[in-house]
Amino acid sequence: MRREIVSPEGFRQDGRRPEELRRSHFRTSLFQQVDGSAYVEQGNTQCLVTVSGPREPQMRSKSLPDRAVVTVEYAVAPFSAGERKGPLRTNRAHTEVAASLQATFEAAIMTTLFPRSEIMICVQMVQLDGSALATAINAVSLAIIDAGIPVTDYVTACSAGYIGSDPVLDLNYLEESAGMPQLTLALLPRTRKIVTMAMEQKLHLDHLEPTAEMCEEGCLQMYQQMNAYIASASKLATLITPSA
Amino acid sequence: MLHNHVFLRKTKKGSVAKIVKEHYLRTDIACGSKACTTCTPCKRANLAEALPPFPGSQVGEYIVPDTNVLFHHLDVIEHPSISNLVILQTVLEELRHRSFQCFQRVRRLIDDPDRHFYVFSNDFHAETYVPEPAATASTTAVAESPNDRNDRAIRRAVQWYNAHLAALHLGAVLVTNDVANRQLAVNDGIPALSLRDFVQKLPGSVPLLDMLGAAGDDPTAPSSKDAVADASRLATVYPEHAAPASIQAGIATGVYQMGTLHISPHNFQEATLLADVNKQRVEVLISGRMDLNRAMDGDVVAFQLFPKEQWKSIVSKVQEQEDDDEAVGSDADAVDDDDDDDDDDDAAADANASASSESLLMPTARVVGIVKRNWRPLCGTLEAPPGFKQHVDAAREHVIDPIQSAFFWPIDKRMPKVRVRTRQLRHLLGQRIVVALDAWPQNSRYPTGHFVRVLGAVGDRAAESEALLLEHDIAHAPFNARVLACLPHQGDRWTVDVDTIDKPDRVDLRHLAICSIDPPGCTDIDDALHARPLPNGNIEAGVHIADVSYFVKPDTPMDIEASQRCTSVYLVDKRIDMLPTLLGTNLCSLRSNVDRLAFSCVWEMTPAGEVVSTRFHKSMIRSQASFTYDEAQARINDTSMNDTLSTNVRLLNQLAKALRKRRIAAGAVTLASPEVKFRLDDKEQQDPVDVEMKELMESNQLVEEFMLLANIHVARKIQQAFPDAAMLRCHPAPPSNRFDALIRAVGQRGFPMVVDTSKHLSDSLDAIQLPEDPYFNKLVRIMTTRCMQQAAYICAGSVNPSGYWHYGLATDIYTHFTSPIRRYADLIVHRMLHAAILRDGQLARDRMKRLADVLNVRHRNAQMASRASIVLFTNLFFRNKPATEEAYILRVLKNAVIVLIPKYGIENAVVLPKASLAKCDFDEKDIAITWPADAASQTRAGKLALFQKIKVHIEIVHQGPEAAQRLQLQLTLVDPPLPAA
Ligand SMILES: [Zn+2]
């Protein structure tokens, strides 16, 4: 029998209320060989990102005279989804996610500070359980900060779906596979400027605004959590690294 | 807010994959008591602030029922005297899996603020959550079953409630009929009661105790005292049912087969089902109490075929329950030593007869076990037990009567009598009541049941209508507020917003001369048509169907309601709509001279009816006229009318004729039904005043042809777009032996009948013409229709494409697209077609398959309800005016003939008096009842055979015991006269 996405008691199937994010977990500086790295868990969606650069472009022809080039590689681990058929299976879908990430971070990174150089971002989805794009954006954001690349602001992202008459925040795999329209929003939290908006399935225009508002709320919550993590991580770093 | 306690639920699925789900536990879930001040405030908190304690308890207690109590005794729970229930999430989820219908009924109770029900999400509460068995399996020695885990969760929640509410002088009590569970609860100091004990504590519990049924305490285990006592006292009446494991093994080895049982409407001890005999799908007979072995109509049973020597003649006899008299007085009478049944003797006689004569034989079988009961509430009346006196004694009004046993007579004649025990017998006699079945023990001749509720006095029109709807499980409550909230807020002032609506997908067709053709008085106009000549000599024809899917969006409350109703139900005196009236008869209805939204199929056709191209698109139309069939027919006939609409109608008719010719050539079978229509008087009573035949004109066929064409083309389109999930309608070929009797009977009249393909069948039917009796052809067609299988909805992915075949229409694929206002299947097909032309959307095959199953059941029920309504009105019609009419014999049985009275569309048995029957012979070969001339009583020789035209007398009689009061149509033979006794 079909179950409701949100029960009349106001709970989703995993026990969250519609406006609640999943538990998230962050780690940065995982690898020495790259300039920056981050690992982000949102629920059971796990994402690992490494950032190299700014550095000399591997292909000269790709360099731009006035700013840095941002390249994104996006891959999904073959074991990430078990036998479940995630929405991000075909390579074309991967390319689209990569393009979306690239556009997002070209807007956030102060690329003009590094003309004729390249910033290389590698995104690896370790496990998929819904809201993959949003998790990837958050992870890239942390990895870039970890790499010390100047940005205008963090980019934080969040997804929301629309079902029945209300939006639902941060969809997991089960909710995604119920086939509801899903919006992913990436935001520069301080200015509240929207940098990316991605839509799966059609959503009626009337419902876009409440859904987008809820996404924004989600992005801001995510920002606070990431900010808190960065603050504690850097405090930890100053405590354990001997001063130069 | 979030309790960041995450646990992993791992389910091994297939070989390696694991599914990991998060499960958040929280501390902000309210207990739901209005008295509580410590919990997070909750809008849904609805449990009363203070409760009077039950006798024997210190504090007022909220009731926490377990799943089985809700599942088995929902009637009791629904009783208004029961309130302040805590429904646990665990219970609700279990119930959803057990029965979606029960789940919805409980949801309705929860939504009623006066009942003070509260759903406690115990699985999400940090203090009441109990881990799943899989997670604890490693730590405990014996693996816990999911059921045990749920019971533990329920007990944990009750325990929590008692601790949480103690300071408020409130508590909670677990109500369960599971003895073991109660024991575990008591061990942990958790208050627990059986449902019976709980109900007894309520004031005025008598009707509720009745509703608990005889078994009451634990319906699954024979633990109640008197049942045990009975079992030791009584001899076995029926053979034992095979255990599920041995049924499975038997089916695997082919010893047993499985099928759905259909009890004959004329003989409650005779049933048919479909089986594979010698690799052919044929109809199999199960007759007699013993072989049926407690199986009831609609049950899925496991059965075993008898060897060929025990096959029986297809000629059966009329047998109603009146024949087997049995008194009910004491409890012990369930014993059945005096087996007054003569069917076993009959069986022997049949076997002998079959050996000697060449009568047609039918495979026989016996029921070995019941796989799935099709038990539903039954409507009927109680029979006063012998010696029972109706006291009209005011002084006794308040005395509680002792429990008495009585027989309950269901309205549905296929159902056996039911033994009911009640304390309110004197109030229930003469009333239409509802009874739920409890069990049919091996040692009881009849099943046992319990009283549920009173519908009203017998014969009262409202009560009878209610009974009719209930019998067929038809939801007829007014639409609730959540559904009505889905309607356009402009109400009947809603208009098509021409400039903005769905551009650019929707095409403006308002300039076309579109008209609709329907029966007079039709308010829910589903379809409209147009045709116009094209410059290249071809013709453009269009079918425009109300765009219901524009208004009914998936998964909205209105959509869910419609998906449960599945179809509008047409009764003689009223219509029960699938959609709210505003949509059905106004906004969706394609009325003339208003802008309406439609889904259009437009074809380019040659004048010979050959389709050149097909287009599907949403549209807006403005019908120019709503014709009745008569008005359209007038325009077909009168070629002097030259306005656009009239030429349009004639053009459509020309195409329809060509289409029809093609269809007939392909082998479509023209079927017939003896339908009639009642004319009701205009006064409040709505008494039937006259009966008229439904007449078929060219204009009917015109509409029919175009609807068929649209359905076929849409079916093709959605099947291509969604080969897995498309909703189709198929009509399987009938089982080969079903025609045997008909072929023989028609053969005797000198007409060969070939039924191997629908083409041959159709040709044979066309050739059957008796110049002296023009009705003969229709009669054969009606009987052919009876031999057919039911058409059914299927999900394309669940059947091999060869199974899409529609036998009756002789088309390779078919669906329902043209009546979305009154059929849910059509609405689904609209959504599919829309998704197919927009090339988006995904459809889940499993969901469609489930939906198809539900649709089939609902459609059948709706049809049966319509027929029952006609029977009800037929009885009303003849109540005070007996008549003598011509009738045709449709079937000859041993002791009766089944006749059809064309004038009234009545099909009924004419039972021959036993005394006359003694002087008659049964001709096995010709299947006829014959009698010789008798000089003494001056009767001529005569016979009753198939297709014979006879005269019968129609009257309404009270049948059955006085108190059962069943109004029944009785036919008696007038001509030819039977030999006198
Ligand atoms: Zn509380």
Side-chain angles (χ1 to χ4, degrees):
Chain A
M1 273 308 149
R2 212 168 4 136
R3 292 179 58 171
E4 309 106 331
I5 296 294
V6 181
S7 76
E9 284 67 48
F11 296 112
R12 294 151 74 171
Q13 289 173 37
D14 59 3
R16 284 183 292 156
R17 293 190 191 276
E19 71 284 1
E20 286 172 352
L21 294 175
R22 288 177 290 179
R23 169 207 56 101
S24 51
H25 176 70
F26 313 102
R27 277 184 68 191
T28 49
S29 306
L30 299 121
F31 306 110
Q32 304 295 309
Q33 295 90 335
V34 289
D35 296 303
S37 58
Y39 168 78
V40 171
E41 265 181 45
Q42 284 182 236
N44 287 321
T45 300
Q46 300 167 354
C47 175
L48 187 65
V49 176
T50 55
V51 172
S52 313
R55 63 176 188 199
E56 192 102 323
Q58 279 170 335
M59 279 190 290
R60 270 277 156 78
S61 56
K62 270 185 135 188
S63 71
L64 295 171
D66 56 338
R67 57 189 170 95
V69 174
V70 177
T71 53
V72 177
E73 267 178 28
Y74 179 85
V76 175
F79 52 82
S80 64
E83 68 168 11
R84 288 184 271 165
K85 294 184 184 82
L88 303 172
R89 280 211 125 185
T90 64
N91 282 322
R92 200 171 133 250
H94 292 184
T95 321
E96 270 175 31
V97 177
S100 175
L101 286 169
Q102 183 182 0
T104 306
F105 286 95
E106 273 179 344
I109 297 173
M110 298 166 133
T111 48
T112 47
L113 296 179
F114 312 103
R116 291 192 187 81
S117 60
E118 181 188 35
I119 296 168
M120 177 82 190
I121 302 172
C122 289
V123 181
Q124 171 91 11
M125 297 308 297
V126 183
Q127 190 167 284
L128 291 179
D129 189 18
S131 305
L133 177 59
T135 311
I137 292 175
N138 293 333
V140 173
S141 222
L142 284 182
I144 284 173
I145 291 162
D146 188 46
I149 297 169
V151 284
T152 50
D153 197 354
Y154 288 68
V155 183
T156 62
C158 187
S159 76
Y162 193 89
I163 190 88
S165 54
D166 292 298
V168 189
L169 206 59
D170 190 13
L171 304 188
N172 65 19
Y173 169 76
L174 259 175
E175 291 168 332
E176 269 184 354
S177 54
M180 61 175 131
Q182 184 184 3
L183 176 73
T184 302
L185 205 79
L187 196 72
L188 301 177
R190 264 177 266 173
T191 53
R192 293 212 175 188
K193 190 181 150 204
I194 292 171
V195 280
T196 300
M197 228 171 155
M199 196 76 207
E200 298 266 341
Q201 290 204 20
K202 288 184 179 178
L203 175 66
H204 196 276
L205 197 62
D206 294 352
H207 304 151
L208 181 62
E209 204 180 308
T211 312
E213 264 173 27
M214 186 168 252
C215 269
E216 260 182 62
E217 277 306 310
C219 290
L220 294 178
Q221 274 187 47
M222 192 46 79
Y223 169 67
Q224 278 164 9
Q225 291 185 25
M226 282 161 65
N227 215 5
Y229 170 77
I230 292 290
S232 66
S234 49
K235 209 158 100 196
L236 207 65
T238 47
L239 278 176
I240 54 172
T241 10
S243 50
Chain B
M1 267 231 285
L2 273 186
H3 227 260
N4 280 347
H5 175 113
V6 178
F7 91 106
L8 307 181
R9 191 186 303 183
K10 297 175 187 177
T11 322
K12 286 258 149 43
K13 198 178 178 187
S15 49
V16 276
K18 66 176 180 186
I19 290 171
V20 185
K21 280 187 200 156
E22 283 185 302
H23 187 107
Y24 289 86
L25 298 183
R26 29 198 333 136
T27 52
D28 65 343
I29 298 173
C31 65
S33 170
K34 283 191 199 160
C36 178
T37 50
T38 50
C39 283
T40 318
C42 172
K43 271 196 297 235
R44 299 183 71 91
N46 196 20
L47 298 169
E49 230 162 305
L51 286 172
F54 290 126
S57 40
Q58 267 74 52
V59 295
E61 285 168 317
Y62 300 125
I63 316 303
V64 187
D66 76 352
T67 316
N68 271 323
V69 165
L70 290 184
F71 182 70
H72 290 294
H73 301 286
L74 197 48
D75 299 323
V76 176
I77 302 296
E78 278 174 339
H79 195 274
S81 68
I82 292 196
S83 63
N84 287 298
L85 253 68
V86 176
I87 308 289
L88 299 179
Q89 180 189 12
T90 310
V91 170
L92 211 50
E93 280 306 314
E94 251 190 315
L95 196 62
R96 186 205 300 268
H97 287 292
R98 291 275 283 281
S99 157
F100 193 62
Q101 215 194 344
C102 281
F103 169 77
Q104 286 176 310
R105 280 164 71 187
V106 171
R107 271 279 175 218
R108 239 168 272 152
L109 289 174
I110 294 165
D111 288 341
D112 181 352
D114 298 334
R115 299 298 295 271
H116 302 287
F117 279 42
Y118 175 73
V119 177
F120 181 63
S121 302
N122 62 314
D123 275 346
F124 295 145
H125 196 294
E127 289 170 37
T128 56
Y129 170 70
V130 164
E132 303 283 315
T136 54
S138 53
T139 53
T140 50
V142 186
E144 190 186 31
S145 78
N147 271 335
D148 291 343
R149 181 261 162 196
N150 287 345
D151 284 344
R152 194 155 56 88
I154 294 167
R155 292 197 302 275
R156 175 83 198 94
V158 179
Q159 199 172 28
W160 179 86
Y161 260 93
N162 279 307
H164 179 77
L165 297 171
L168 301 165
H169 296 287
L170 285 165
V173 58
L174 171 66
V175 174
T176 173
N177 282 334
D178 179 344
V179 181
N181 194 15
R182 272 208 305 276
Q183 191 54 51
L184 285 170
V186 170
N187 292 351
D188 291 346
I190 302 165
L193 289 172
S194 73
L195 182 60
R196 178 173 295 278
D197 290 343
F198 159 63
V199 166
Q200 266 164 352
K201 287 172 188 282
L202 294 173
S205 59
V206 172
L208 286 177
L209 283 175
D210 269 5
M211 285 157 73
L212 279 178
D217 197 45
D218 189 353
T220 51
S223 63
S224 98
K225 268 181 238 144
D226 45 0
V228 174
D230 283 355
S232 59
R233 200 164 67 230
L234 304 181
T236 300
V237 177
Y238 291 103
E240 202 168 332
H241 284 152
S246 68
I247 289 179
Q248 255 174 17
I251 288 171
T253 54
V255 181
Y256 300 156
Q257 297 191 42
M258 212 161 77
T260 306
L261 197 76
H262 298 289
I263 302 276
S264 151
H266 305 298
N267 186 341
F268 79 106
Q269 288 193 3
E270 196 174 274
T272 55
L273 36 65
L274 291 181
D276 293 315
V277 179
N278 303 331
K279 292 184 182 146
Q280 264 197 319
R281 198 97 181 121
V282 298
E283 207 161 38
V284 169
L285 182 76
I286 299 182
S287 69
R289 215 189 275 283
M290 288 303 151
D291 286 345
L292 278 171
N293 196 4
R294 292 169 279 160
M296 286 161 70
D297 187 62
D299 289 350
V300 177
V301 299
F303 59 94
Q304 184 174 22
L305 287 172
F306 283 127
K308 201 163 181 182
E309 303 80 64
Q310 292 179 33
W311 289 11
K312 285 187 184 176
S313 155
I314 49 178
V315 183
S316 82
K317 62 174 191 169
V318 167
Q319 187 168 24
E320 295 190 355
Q321 306 200 19
E322 285 76 14
D323 296 2
D324 60 35
D325 301 305
E326 196 204 358
V328 59
S330 65
D331 286 355
D333 68 356
V335 220
D336 184 19
D337 327 278
D338 60 325
D339 195 7
D340 58 324
D341 272 14
D342 48 358
D343 28 60
D344 294 330
D345 307 335
D346 266 8
D350 279 347
N352 292 342
S354 62
S356 57
S357 77
E358 7 162 356
S359 65
L360 290 166
L361 289 183
M362 197 163 170
T364 52
R366 69 181 180 93
V367 172
V368 292
I370 289 163
V371 180
K372 194 169 165 242
R373 282 284 191 193
N374 180 40
W375 282 358
R376 55 183 175 85
L378 298 173
C379 298
T381 40
L382 284 178
E383 170 193 344
F388 180 83
K389 287 192 190 66
Q390 182 74 280
H391 290 277
V392 207
D393 188 356
R396 286 200 56 205
E397 259 328 286
H398 301 288
V399 182
I400 293 177
D401 292 343
I403 299 186
Q404 284 167 297
S405 276
F407 272 133
F408 167 82
W409 292 70
I411 297 177
D412 188 340
K413 288 206 248 164
R414 295 167 304 175
M415 294 293 168
K417 288 194 276 194
V418 181
R419 178 194 306 280
V420 172
R421 287 152 55 94
T422 172
R423 286 178 185 77
Q424 14 175 15
L425 185 57
R426 61 200 166 105
H427 301 293
L428 297 182
L429 290 175
Q431 303 284 315
R432 268 279 170 255
I433 64 166
V434 182
V435 157
L437 292 163
D438 291 327
W440 196 338
Q442 213 184 335
N443 55 22
S444 165
R445 184 165 180 155
Y446 297 103
T448 56
H450 64 268
F451 161 75
V452 177
R453 66 190 171 103
V454 175
L455 298 174
V458 171
D460 174 58
R461 193 191 306 273
E464 299 292 349
S465 286
E466 173 94 18
L468 193 153
L469 294 170
L470 211 82
E471 277 276 298
H472 300 95
D473 194 17
I474 287 165
H476 58 287
F479 290 98
N480 66 33
R482 271 159 60 82
V483 172
L484 296 176
C486 301
L487 294 170
H489 59 88
Q490 301 93 330
D492 56 5
R493 287 189 307 277
W494 179 91
T495 48
V496 175
D497 188 347
V498 179
D499 298 323
T500 58
I501 217 158
D502 294 346
K503 289 262 168 123
D505 299 339
R506 199 175 282 277
V507 183
D508 191 347
L509 297 180
R510 286 174 300 159
H511 57 282
L512 292 177
I514 292 171
C515 64
S516 62
I517 306 174
D518 288 285
C522 178
T523 51
D524 47 353
I525 304 173
D526 281 307
D527 49 85
L529 298 156
H530 88 274
R532 57 175 179 181
L534 292 173
N536 64 0
N538 284 344
I539 301 164
E540 179 191 273
V543 165
H544 312 277
I545 307 297
D547 188 7
V548 178
S549 64
Y550 174 83
F551 294 97
V552 185
K553 298 283 188 232
D555 296 323
T556 55
M558 184 152 67
D559 180 52
I560 291 167
E561 180 75 25
S563 73
Q564 282 154 7
R565 295 191 178 214
C566 287
T567 171
S568 294
V569 182
Y570 292 78
L571 304 180
V572 173
D573 55 340
K574 64 176 162 195
R575 184 182 71 210
I576 293 151
D577 289 322
M578 180 181 85
L579 293 171
T581 322
L582 176 68
L583 288 189
T585 62
N586 190 349
L587 304 190
C588 289
S589 181
L590 302 177
R591 303 200 285 190
S592 49
N593 300 318
V594 280
D595 293 344
R596 284 287 177 255
L597 301 177
F599 210 144
S600 300
C601 295
V602 182
W603 297 278
E604 183 183 340
M605 282 191 228
T606 63
E610 205 169 326
V611 174
V612 180
S613 69
T614 313
R615 285 198 324 266
F616 305 101
H617 55 74
K618 294 226 172 181
S619 61
M620 46 190 127
I621 62 164
R622 191 182 178 88
S623 167
Q624 298 185 356
S626 315
F627 292 130
T628 62
Y629 287 124
D630 286 318
E631 287 165 356
Q633 190 61 42
R635 282 172 165 76
I636 292 172
N637 296 343
D638 185 357
T639 45
S640 67
M641 295 174 88
N642 275 322
D643 56 297
T644 329
L645 281 176
S646 301
T647 48
N648 234 335
V649 171
R650 283 199 292 277
L651 201 53
L652 284 167
N653 191 47
Q654 175 200 330
L655 287 173
K657 275 184 172 164
L659 288 169
R660 190 173 181 79
K661 219 165 114 191
R662 284 166 178 275
R663 228 161 42 75
I664 301 287
V669 186
T670 313
L671 299 172
S673 76
E675 271 182 276
V676 294
K677 208 178 151 198
F678 283 92
R679 210 178 297 141
L680 304 178
D681 69 356
D682 296 331
K683 284 180 290 217
E684 280 290 289
Q685 294 89 0
Q686 295 216 311
D687 276 322
V689 290
D690 201 2
V691 178
E692 58 193 48
M693 289 273 230
K694 285 188 180 166
E695 208 186 332
L696 279 181
M697 289 177 288
E698 261 181 321
S699 53
N700 292 57
Q701 294 185 343
L702 182 167
V703 176
E704 190 191 333
E705 283 310 321
F706 276 99
M707 295 308 129
L708 292 177
L709 189 69
N711 287 336
I712 292 168
H713 280 265
V714 170
R716 248 176 228 142
K717 177 84 183 173
I718 59 171
Q719 195 269 334
Q720 278 160 13
F722 306 106
D724 226 27
M727 171 82 68
L728 302 176
R729 189 161 175 86
C730 73
H731 184 211
S736 55
N737 68 337
R738 232 189 237 176
F739 285 104
D740 288 355
L742 184 62
I743 293 173
R744 178 186 279 211
V746 176
Q748 281 164 356
R749 293 291 182 111
F751 297 106
M753 199 164 156
V754 190
V755 298
D756 53 348
T757 65
S758 59
K759 172 76 180 142
H760 288 149
L761 174 62
S762 174
D763 292 347
S764 313
L765 285 173
D766 288 341
I768 297 170
Q769 297 290 353
L770 279 184
E772 70 274 16
D773 191 351
Y775 195 75
F776 183 65
N777 182 272
K778 183 162 184 196
L779 201 63
V780 177
R781 283 188 200 274
I782 289 171
M783 293 183 65
T784 307
T785 313
R786 299 286 152 82
C787 297
M788 297 276 185
Q789 291 270 74
Q790 288 251 326
Y793 293 108
I794 52 163
C795 165
S798 56
V799 182
N800 190 300
S802 65
Y804 300 163
W805 184 256
H806 196 293
Y807 181 86
L809 296 172
T811 166
D812 56 342
I813 192 162
Y814 194 67
T815 193
H816 272 165
F817 170 74
T818 52
S819 303
I821 295 179
R822 54 191 179 85
R823 285 190 308 228
Y824 191 71
D826 302 53
L827 177 55
I828 288 290
V829 168
H830 273 231
R831 288 187 191 143
M832 284 182 176
L833 182 63
H834 196 219
I837 54 183
L838 293 182
R839 291 199 179 76
D840 82 346
Q842 289 173 332
L843 297 161
R845 165 177 153 184
D846 291 343
R847 192 172 157 186
M848 282 304 141
K849 193 172 176 310
R850 276 201 303 272
L851 181 64
D853 293 343
V854 175
L855 285 171
N856 288 327
V857 173
R858 291 278 169 207
H859 275 263
R860 216 184 137 75
N861 282 350
Q863 266 177 11
M864 311 245 278
S866 297
R867 273 186 222 147
S869 166
I870 291 173
V871 169
L872 183 68
F873 273 79
T874 309
N875 290 356
L876 288 172
F877 182 74
F878 287 105
R879 193 164 41 180
N880 297 315
K881 41 184 163 189
T884 301
E885 284 296 337
E886 270 182 3
Y888 287 89
I889 298 180
L890 292 185
R891 248 178 106 185
V892 180
L893 309 181
K894 289 259 165 76
N895 61 342
V897 288
I898 311 288
V899 299
L900 174 75
I901 304 169
K903 185 171 174 191
Y904 299 110
I906 298 172
E907 189 187 329
N908 215 322
V910 180
V911 182
L912 307 177
K914 272 192 178 146
S916 304
L917 215 51
K919 298 192 177 172
C920 297
D921 292 315
F922 193 85
D923 183 344
E924 286 276 351
K925 185 163 164 282
D926 290 349
I927 311 181
I929 294 171
T930 59
W931 60 90
D934 182 19
S937 61
Q938 292 187 324
T939 38
R940 283 166 285 137
K943 85 178 210 179
L944 293 172
L946 202 58
F947 302 131
Q948 196 177 332
K949 198 196 271 184
I950 59 173
K951 273 209 172 75
V952 294
H953 181 70
I954 311 166
E955 66 180 329
I956 299 294
V957 292
H958 288 273
Q959 253 192 9
E962 194 60 35
Q965 292 191 31
R966 193 148 62 174
L967 270 190
Q968 212 161 32
L969 192 76
Q970 181 169 294
L971 303 182
T972 38
L973 186 62
V974 176
D975 185 55
L978 279 170

